[in-house]
Amino acid sequence: EREEGLDSVSSAGDGDAAVGDQNASVDDSGSNNGEESGGTEGKGREDDSGTDNTSEGNSKDNYTIADNVDGNSTDMINATEPDEIEAMLPTASPTESPSMSPTICIPIEVGIIFDEYAGETSWKVLRGAHRKQPIRRGFNDDGNSTAEEVEGKVASAADDQQGITAQEQETTVWESIYYNPNNFNSRADTFNQCLPPGTYTFVFSDREADGICCNHGEGVYLLSTEGKVVTIGGEMYTKERRYVFDLPFEEPEAVDENDDGLDDRTGWVMPFDSSKYIEGETCENFHLELKTDAYGLETTWALFEGSDESGRMFASGGPYASDAVYEVDYCLPSEQEYVLYVYDWAREGICCESGNGG
């Protein structure tokens, strides 16, 4: 069924950028994979009329000046050179050009580690705040999956977080291409764009409503801006996930509403509470500084109590944005042993083929 589904999707063309062994080359403009909405860059149009525009039999061309804008009244001037024409033209009075304020553009990055079915994956960025209930996925009595359409509601930018709903047209400012399975299955890539300040909605979609983790690979998606992680995801039970954010982005405090010990936004272990410890007496400072390479979404880490991964996990982080620096500080209880694990999804480290991470 999956193969038939992939065959039914039309490709965006032969211009899809091929991804390398593990990492695809990244175009800083974000157009390496054609993901910009309306971002097709064309060459200048050539004149294919076959008409030779050069005057034959004359060494010099005659020039005509129109007396008015529509060109209805014209006088032929006995001048043959452009400089002679310029001398006869009226001198325009100087005008003051309006002062132009520089346009503020804030970089954002979408990073994806694809699962085995990249053709099911897409995403887009909408202008404004749009919280719409997705199509939920369920299962019949016989175990077959089914999709149920849930009535959607859209929230305005100002009232979104308060749950007040209002109908508002969705305007896409940036979106993905169709990801050719031959190029993107089980691969990692990043896509970059620059947007003005404002409120936006990131929409990540999976056509089969089973996400990119963890049935058919350990996929993940990450939205970041200026090194700050906006949202992380991958495991899904609906056809789309939405996250409303502002540019510039201010990272909120970690929140664990479902009491699973993980931050709801990032999935990282909640920060260790060392308020009852005294540094230098009952706890020792743990400082981690991590610099990512061009594929920060491949980098994660975890700190365990004991000598291996079987111990209690005290802290974790990643995936991250590309080419960014992160610092973590904890005061860990003394008289205990700890071990730090740093992971790289592509198994090639964070230095030096794709940047100088460390």
Side-chain angles (χ1 to χ4, degrees), residues 120-286:
E120 300 174 357
T121 300
S122 64
W123 54 266
K124 59 185 175 181
V125 177
L126 309 176
R127 180 179 290 110
H130 299 271
R131 287 199 183 276
K132 181 182 294 183
Q133 292 179 340
I135 299 176
R136 300 186 180 278
R137 185 184 183 194
F139 293 91
N140 296 328
D141 294 337
D142 57 4
N144 294 325
S145 63
T146 179
E148 177 185 357
E149 183 76 34
V150 179
E151 181 181 359
K153 295 182 179 180
V154 180
S156 65
D159 300 327
D160 175 73
Q161 304 302 337
Q162 287 73 29
I164 302 175
T165 60
Q167 292 300 322
E168 184 179 332
Q169 183 180 3
E170 294 184 353
T171 301
T172 301
V173 296
W174 186 29
E175 62 183 346
S176 63
I177 62 169
Y178 164 69
Y179 293 116
N180 190 322
N182 293 330
N183 296 334
F184 290 95
N185 279 357
S186 301
R187 302 292 178 89
D189 209 343
T190 58
F191 314 95
N192 295 273
Q193 182 58 280
C194 191
L195 297 176
T199 299
Y200 298 92
T201 302
F202 178 67
V203 183
F204 189 88
S205 303
D206 182 83
R207 193 173 67 241
E208 292 297 319
D210 58 358
I212 55 177
C213 181
C214 302
N215 296 325
H216 304 284
E218 300 296 321
V220 67
Y221 66 83
L222 178 142
L223 175 67
S224 63
T225 172
E226 299 180 306
K228 302 174 182 177
V229 175
V230 178
T231 185
I232 300 173
E235 189 172 357
M236 298 169 59
Y237 300 96
T238 60
K239 285 194 173 183
E240 68 176 31
R241 286 284 183 88
R242 297 187 173 215
Y243 190 86
V244 177
F245 65 100
D246 291 324
L247 292 178
F249 179 74
E250 295 295 334
E251 291 183 289
E253 295 291 333
V255 176
D256 180 19
E257 293 184 352
N258 58 1
D259 295 326
D260 62 353
L262 305 177
D263 179 20
D264 297 337
R265 179 176 59 92
T266 62
W268 304 342
V269 173
M270 290 292 291
F272 177 69
D273 183 11
S274 58
S275 58
K276 62 181 180 180
Y277 296 94
I278 301 176
E279 184 174 354
E281 295 183 9
T282 57
C283 68
E284 301 296 333
N285 179 256
F286 165 78

